[in-house]
Amino acid sequence: MNRLSRIDNSSIGRWWRSVDRMTLACVGTLIGFGYILMLAASPAVAVRIGASRNMFIFKQVMFLAIAGLIVVGVSMLSRKGVMRLAFIGCVVAIGATAMTLVHGIEIKGARRWIALPMMSVQPSEFLKPCFAVVTAWLLAQRRVRRYFPGMLLAFAGYGVILVLLKSQPDIGMLTVITTVFMAQLFVDGLNILLVGIGFGAMGGAGVAAYFIFPHVRSRVERFLHPNVGDHYQIDTALRAFGNGGLMGRGPGEGRVKDLLPDAHADFVFAVAGEEYGMLICLFIIAVFATIVIRTVLRLLREDDPFLILATSGLVTGFGLQAFVNMGSTLHLIPTKGMTLPFISYGGSSAMSVALTIGMMLALTRQHVRQSRLGRTLATPAGAWKAAT
């Protein structure tokens, strides 16, 4: 197949030669785990809420199939195509996030979702990848156009998002977007003192959130004081890892899915630990780490400011989301309802993460190598050499 792809000069052939196939394989692996763990975790949750046993399975099969198509389709885009998609997506996501404050579904005191015929959509999920790319373009333009107010516009956009997410409220999503934004400013070469001030402001905002939002205060206090408050979910998740041991209890033999209301979503990693054991959990962590490390290594060969800033933001958001989910389940950080990319149940999350990975793959494709190979294949001798 590899030899045939060398002489295939179609758009698919060029894409296959230039894309990071190892990252694609890792994404496919995560989607496979998503199917397996949804089969394990979701039937018990569906029965508990009085729905069909296969309701979550059928929905997630559709979500992950669409996510796979998004990854491949977006990864075929050019750099300009990624920028256009990000700008359009950012405008639509900001508008839809603002709409949630008026017409959104209220769940547990927060308005984050818009009801559609087949599913509920969380627009703020799509802000993560789109705003990262838009911010990268604004910051990079300062190096190209002398008086372009890229930094000012980036902070203005961040300010709008901050107000919207605080109003929902969605402090977890705001924390992720803020961290991505600060990481991009650091990579852009912002004065280290200003970066320190920015992180200090984040700490101050965290303290303010502790006193303003009761649910934030409750989660922090339960994390810092294990003997105070309700620890049912995290204690149950930790017992599941202990029950699973090294090799797990076996497919379908776990009990945590019968006890936790969010076993198919926020605590799906605990289901993996109980039924498949520590080794599979370590393998899942290694797959996430491989995607992050390979993306960073590809960035080391680049010198385009926009590409570096955009991909840095995308990979930071992806890695942070995975860490928050697994860290919450293992009680390494205060609990936060955030999905595990491609594995937890959720349509908005799956498609948002797919958009993130697709943009990362598109931006890190080996364009220079591709163009050189294309010129080589243009001659009969070059084509014969590549084929043999």
Side-chain angles (χ1 to χ4, degrees), residues 184-205:
Q184 289 181 298
L185 292 177
F186 177 75
V187 173
D188 188 46
L190 188 65
N191 185 287
I192 191 66
L193 177 61
L194 296 178
V195 174
I197 293 174
F199 278 109
M202 286 177 60

Side-chain angles (χ1 to χ4, degrees), residues 126-187:
F126 299 92
L127 281 174
K128 289 185 293 184
C130 294
F131 182 65
V133 175
V134 171
T135 299
W137 183 84
L138 292 172
L139 296 177
Q141 283 298 300
R142 296 186 306 130
R143 303 174 183 270
V144 179
R145 299 159 63 181
R146 186 174 180 181
Y147 298 106
F148 184 77
M151 183 75 72
L152 180 62
L153 292 174
F155 270 97
Y158 170 74
V160 171
I161 293 173
L162 185 152
V163 171
L164 291 174
L165 294 182
K166 177 184 175 297
S167 301
Q168 286 185 333
D170 192 349
I171 304 304
M173 184 68 69
L174 178 58
T175 301
V176 171
I177 291 178
T178 301
T179 303
V180 170
F181 185 47
M182 294 302 299
Q184 289 181 298
L185 292 177
F186 177 75
V187 173

Side-chain angles (χ1 to χ4, degrees), residues 231-245 255-257 259-263 266-275 281 325-331 335:
H231 294 267
Y232 173 75
Q233 293 196 95
I234 194 64
D235 289 344
T236 304
L238 291 177
R239 281 199 300 271
F241 286 108
N243 293 336
R255 294 292 174 263
V256 68
K257 60 195 177 187
L259 303 174
L260 291 180
D262 294 321
D266 299 344
F267 289 94
V268 72
F269 196 55
V271 177
E274 185 176 32
E275 298 200 0
C281 288
N325 178 278
M326 293 185 288
S328 297
T329 306
L330 292 167
H331 201 48
T335 55

Side-chain angles (χ1 to χ4, degrees), residues 216-238:
V216 174
R217 181 166 58 252
S218 173
R219 289 174 178 177
V220 172
E221 289 179 349
R222 280 181 291 170
F223 176 74
L224 296 177
H225 306 287
N227 297 323
V228 177
D230 181 13
H231 294 267
Y232 173 75
Q233 293 196 95
I234 194 64
D235 289 344
T236 304
L238 291 177

Side-chain angles (χ1 to χ4, degrees), residues 7 16 24 31 58 73 88 109 113 118 122 129-130 151 154 237 244 267 306 310 323 343 348 354 363 380 385:
I7 61 174
W16 182 252
L24 275 178
I31 290 176
F58 288 149
I88 295 171
W113 298 269
M118 293 292 295
Q122 185 178 353
C130 294
M151 183 75 72
F267 289 94
F306 164 73
F323 170 77
I343 296 180
S348 297
L363 293 172
K385 183 177 180 181

